[in-house]
Amino acid sequence: MATLLAPIVLDPAAAGTAPPSDVEAVGGNPLLGEWSTPDGVPPFDRIRPEHYEPAFDAGIAEARQNIERIASSRARPTFANTLEALETAAPLLTRTQGVFFTVAAADATPEIQKVRAAVVPKLTRLESDIYQDQRLFRRVDRLYRTRDRLRLSPEQARLLEVVHRRFLRAGARLGAAEQARLAEIDQALARLSVQFSQNLLADQKGSDLYLTEAEMAGVPEALRASARAAAAAAGRPGLFLIPSTRPAVEPFLTFATNRAAREKVFRAFNMRGDNGNAYDNNAIVTEMLALRAERARLLGYPSFAHFQLDNAMAGRPEAAMDLLRQVFEPALVRVREEEAELLRLAARDGLNRIEPWDWRFYAEKVRQQRFALDEASLKEFLPLEGMVAAMFDVTARLWGLSVHPRPDVPVYAPGVRVWEIRERDGSRIGLFYADWFARDTKQPGAWMNSIRVQSFLRGETPIVVNNCNYTPPPPGGRATISVDDLRTLFHEWGHALHGLLSRVRYPSLSGTAVYTDFVELPAQIMEHWAQEPSVLRVHARNADGAPIPEAMLEALARARTFNQGFLTVQQLSSAILDLELHALPQLPEGFSVRAWEAERLQALGVPAAVGMRHRLAHFSHLFGGGYAAKYYSYTWSEAMDADGFDAFRETGDVFNQEVAARFRREVLEVGNSREPAESYRAFRGRMPTAEALLRNRGLAPGGARSAAAD
Ligand SMILES: [Zn+2]
């Protein structure tokens, strides 16, 4: 095992130590001027919400002017005067977007939401104007057709291919009437997608449940306290508010002993978007599916799934489905074993079948019995500060990178922290902003984004951000996180490293600008180090400084494959139905989303007690976000991260320097400058199989026991 480097010292809260930013504000607007800030970071201390819209307007005007110059140029198209010129055509807009969308996700005050509503349509219009501009397309297309004679570097050839494809997918080759229809479809889809999300939010609110003391029996004190406070705040003191959100519903279903209450909570959550009321999403889903199928047909694809996956590593729906089937079949076998085991326990309570609202409850009982693993006492050994130190420690052991607090850098909200990331030789790589705690104005979930992407062409170093929604520490206390949170911490840091370690020339190909089914690889592979015992032994300590007990570490490792049949079938039934639905060339007459979903689940053999993780009427990934026909991406990336981590494990040292260097060089540094399949093969020497994924989930032949031992 590699030796531990010197422990990393975390900076104390850095608020108030930064000097005022040095900016030349144009007309009082710092977003419009030159920034002489350290490393050219955004002067967050001087930016106010009212500065954004004028900066967007000026940035869009500048972009339109520059792009018009490229499109109307009489000079013969060259790579430099067309492709490179496009890459640098919108400096002000690019800089403004990086700053604004960081804040819009992490601190969306009403003022910021108003700006967002105002600028998003302008940005959408700019984009369609660019990619449907025939003059521009003719220049790009001419370069593309003569590409073999242009003596391009591999990265230039890749940029040409990526940009050319963007034009084609936006309909640049279609006639005027078809282009107009495409634009109409896109506008309709954008509107329906917003409506889907708004319906879901409204229906979710309408599904909030106010429970009584008796219905709350068995629920842990922390959840009870917040549910009681929430009900009181909503004017119903004495009751307990359980909102129909996953973070509230899952723990309730895990611990509540009142079976009727579990059923009530499950049904409210499961029926979101499908209640036949004003917020019902079934008609919207049907309309979106029809429009998507038409869009794909206009562009010459057999189905929307074919259109989507043509721009993905999988390439074709059949390839994605093939992997899903390989994982789904053994998971189905496992889930039936799990169901039988739960039923044995439930029979003692007089149950003769497991219903969907029983699964988590009895699974938790089995888990406690078998592994003696108690989430609450585990958490005491997982302080956020210690886990961040662990994350930086892992990074140092793998790549020799070091981190240095930068309290001089202004931040957009209190509590955001900034580090500079340096190479082994001390040279600077980029900046990392961390915003880990929940706040009212923050989107749910966790994510990484870039304030500035790495690019040699623009001479810019990366600035990346990680966001989570951890519970803030009690006053004077320390923040602790769960094992899930710990994995999320490492996951987002993996995305951050993908952005930080990028070494490409063109911003369009930088860092995380890769296919959806490849982008999770760097993030998911980092999760494997989150539970590495040699790391936890050092950094996982309770408030008295005592290290995590060995028995707890062992239980944690053994419990890794527990309940994986359930989790896998839930996730994969969602992925399979997504692919099947979007692979329909057109919807049959009288199509019913609800009936189709029920019929397919039954045909696949999904047990009623398990179901889908996301039912179609509330499947935001597909109808409110960008994952239509792409929910398989998580599994696709998992096949790679499991197989990729094996490359480390096979050497007998998960910190093997040679493998780490190869992963950095072939995957993290290259961004989208070549086909991801090529990158993976360069790292691993071959393409992945599903074998490691199945083993990690305890689904390989031989089963959970062998996997639990590793
Ligand atoms: Zn991710």
Side-chain angles (χ1 to χ4, degrees):
M1 199 54 62
T3 51
L4 283 168
L5 299 177
I8 290 148
V9 182
L10 297 176
D11 64 324
T17 54
S21 295
D22 182 10
V23 276
E24 170 225 330
V26 173
N29 188 339
L31 285 169
L32 294 172
E34 284 294 318
W35 297 346
S36 326
T37 47
D39 302 284
V41 296
F44 280 119
D45 55 333
R46 294 183 176 248
I47 300 172
R48 290 194 307 274
E50 63 268 28
H51 294 142
Y52 285 111
E53 213 179 330
F56 270 110
D57 288 342
I60 289 173
E62 179 191 59
R64 285 194 184 276
Q65 210 170 54
N66 288 338
I67 284 164
E68 178 57 32
R69 199 172 306 131
I70 301 168
S72 61
S73 165
R74 308 208 152 220
R76 197 172 53 84
T78 63
F79 189 86
N81 74 18
T82 305
L83 269 295
E84 281 198 355
L86 281 171
E87 287 289 286
T88 50
L92 179 58
L93 181 59
T94 307
R95 191 178 76 173
T96 306
Q97 281 183 302
V99 176
F100 178 75
F101 286 104
T102 297
V103 174
D107 193 20
T109 58
E111 293 87 355
I112 292 292
Q113 288 183 36
K114 256 172 64 188
V115 176
R116 185 181 199 147
V119 302
V120 164
K122 295 182 193 176
L123 294 172
T124 314
R125 192 161 336 121
L126 175 67
E127 199 179 318
S128 58
D129 287 351
I130 293 172
Y131 290 108
Q132 293 200 342
D133 187 320
Q134 290 304 300
R135 301 165 305 164
L136 216 46
F137 177 62
R138 271 198 300 277
R139 295 181 73 85
V140 172
D141 192 46
R142 175 151 161 204
L143 290 169
Y144 185 74
R145 280 183 287 112
T146 57
R147 62 191 180 280
D148 293 342
R149 278 175 276 147
L150 298 176
R151 293 208 205 116
L152 301 176
S153 73
E155 189 181 337
Q156 289 174 328
R158 177 70 175 168
L159 180 68
L160 178 54
E161 189 190 321
V162 165
V163 172
H164 188 253
R165 192 186 302 167
R166 261 189 225 159
F167 276 93
L168 292 185
R169 293 173 67 81
R173 200 164 258 166
L174 301 180
E178 288 165 307
Q179 270 193 358
R181 178 61 189 149
L182 209 61
E184 232 172 68
I185 291 176
D186 285 347
Q187 276 161 23
L189 281 172
R191 178 178 48 79
L192 288 165
S193 166
V194 170
Q195 210 185 330
F196 179 95
S197 304
Q198 287 173 350
N199 277 352
L200 182 53
L201 208 60
D203 206 36
Q204 181 179 302
K205 269 261 151 256
S207 306
D208 281 354
L209 291 175
Y210 290 88
L211 302 183
T212 62
E213 182 73 51
E215 289 175 315
M216 291 293 287
V219 174
E221 189 43 48
L223 182 55
R224 280 175 57 89
S226 66
R228 189 202 298 271
R236 318 256 318 245
L239 293 176
F240 300 83
L241 171 58
I242 300 293
S244 276
T245 61
R246 194 175 294 280
V249 167
E250 287 193 345
F252 184 88
L253 293 176
T254 304
F255 294 106
T257 52
N258 185 323
R259 192 173 186 225
R262 287 205 306 268
E263 178 175 354
K264 199 154 110 179
V265 167
F266 174 83
R267 284 190 189 280
F269 183 63
N270 193 50
M271 292 304 289
R272 286 166 304 141
D274 189 22
N275 283 311
N277 55 21
Y279 306 120
D280 192 288
N281 270 333
N282 285 294
I284 291 175
V285 168
T286 308
E287 202 179 337
M288 288 182 82
L289 289 169
L291 288 168
R292 282 172 176 169
E294 185 187 346
R295 192 186 202 286
R297 264 200 311 282
L298 275 170
L299 291 166
Y301 291 90
S303 77
F304 189 72
H306 287 87
F307 167 73
Q308 285 290 73
L309 272 66
D310 188 36
N311 196 33
M313 194 176 163
R316 296 170 304 118
E318 296 79 4
M321 191 61 92
D322 184 52
L323 173 68
L324 294 179
R325 286 289 190 167
Q326 282 183 57
V327 182
F328 184 68
E329 298 302 334
L332 261 189
V333 175
R334 170 61 34 81
V335 85
R336 290 194 192 104
E337 293 166 8
E338 288 171 359
E339 191 173 16
E341 189 173 9
L342 301 190
L343 193 54
R344 275 197 293 278
L345 202 62
R348 291 185 216 158
D349 295 341
L351 270 56
N352 55 14
R353 58 185 280 182
I354 298 288
E355 297 288 354
W357 45 91
D358 297 323
W359 193 289
R360 289 178 182 82
F361 180 75
Y362 286 102
E364 177 62 18
K365 282 193 173 299
V366 173
R367 192 175 82 116
Q368 281 181 4
Q369 261 179 19
R370 196 182 310 157
F371 305 106
L373 199 56
D374 164 31
E375 182 79 29
S377 42
L378 187 57
K379 226 176 155 176
E380 285 310 303
F381 290 94
L382 302 178
L384 177 61
E385 287 294 293
M387 295 303 99
V388 170
M391 170 178 109
F392 289 152
D393 196 3
V394 163
T395 312
R397 290 169 76 180
L398 287 168
W399 298 293
L401 306 179
S402 62
V403 299
H404 307 269
R406 286 289 302 264
D408 59 317
V409 170
V411 294
Y412 55 85
V416 179
R417 296 158 76 182
V418 184
W419 283 274
E420 178 178 316
I421 313 300
R422 290 188 202 152
E423 293 284 7
R424 209 186 293 268
D425 68 6
S427 56
R428 181 190 306 150
I429 294 173
L431 293 176
F432 170 62
Y433 290 45
D435 186 357
W436 285 306
F437 294 116
R439 72 173 71 85
D440 285 346
T441 50
K442 196 189 270 196
Q443 273 179 16
W447 64 90
M448 167 272 188
N449 70 285
S450 296
I451 292 178
R452 186 172 74 199
V453 301
Q454 179 276 333
S455 155
F456 292 133
L457 178 70
R458 290 190 191 143
E460 288 177 342
T461 55
I463 306 178
V464 306
V465 191
N466 271 180
N467 265 277
C468 294
N469 268 287
Y470 300 149
T471 312
R478 57 177 209 162
T480 57
I481 58 177
S482 69
V483 178
D484 270 355
D485 294 340
L486 171 60
R487 272 197 292 268
T488 306
L489 184 73
F490 275 64
H491 179 107
E492 299 310 330
W493 176 237
H495 284 311
L497 285 171
H498 200 185
L500 285 165
L501 297 179
S502 174
R503 291 180 62 81
V504 303
R505 182 167 171 78
Y506 300 110
S508 283
L509 305 175
S510 185
T512 54
V514 294
Y515 296 145
T516 312
D517 55 5
F518 190 73
V519 76
E520 296 302 331
L521 166 61
Q524 290 179 178
I525 201 168
M526 278 309 291
E527 293 180 39
H528 293 273
W529 283 281
Q531 289 190 61
E532 172 58 28
S534 69
V535 176
L536 290 179
R537 275 188 200 109
V538 176
H539 298 284
R541 290 171 183 274
N542 69 9
D544 303 327
I548 187 167
E550 282 301 311
M552 214 179 249
L553 273 180
E554 277 161 33
L556 197 58
R558 278 188 297 124
R560 256 206 334 229
T561 57
F562 178 68
N563 206 33
Q564 280 297 333
F566 175 80
L567 294 170
T568 309
V569 168
Q570 276 217 316
Q571 185 190 338
L572 268 73
S573 57
S574 295
I576 290 172
L577 263 65
D578 165 36
L579 261 187
E580 287 185 344
L581 191 57
H582 285 103
L584 297 173
Q586 59 190 72
L587 294 185
E589 199 61 37
F591 181 78
S592 151
V593 177
R594 193 187 294 138
W596 183 87
E597 176 185 284
E599 187 266 313
R600 289 308 304 149
L601 287 176
Q602 192 171 32
L604 287 167
V606 176
V610 180
M612 297 169 83
R613 184 172 168 83
H614 310 280
R615 289 191 56 223
L616 295 171
H618 52 241
F619 207 157
S620 290
H621 293 79
L622 314 191
F623 304 106
Y627 272 75
K630 286 188 172 177
Y631 195 68
Y632 79 93
S633 295
Y634 295 100
T635 312
W636 190 271
S637 285
E638 191 181 332
M640 287 185 283
D641 77 66
D643 183 63
F645 190 68
D646 268 8
F648 289 89
R649 213 151 32 187
E650 283 158 9
T651 67
D653 174 12
V654 296
F655 292 98
N656 185 290
Q657 298 290 293
E658 210 179 303
V659 183
R662 201 161 64 233
F663 186 71
R664 175 174 174 177
R665 192 176 63 238
E666 305 293 353
V667 175
L668 297 175
E669 290 184 355
V670 300
N672 196 26
S673 66
R674 65 178 175 201
E675 274 294 322
E678 241 175 86
S679 299
Y680 191 83
R681 209 177 289 118
F683 159 59
R684 191 66 165 116
R686 58 170 174 75
M687 289 309 283
T689 64
E691 197 189 307
L693 181 164
L694 290 171
R695 175 162 32 79
N696 286 353
R697 286 190 175 239
L699 302 172
R705 261 155 263 329
S706 65
D710 82 24

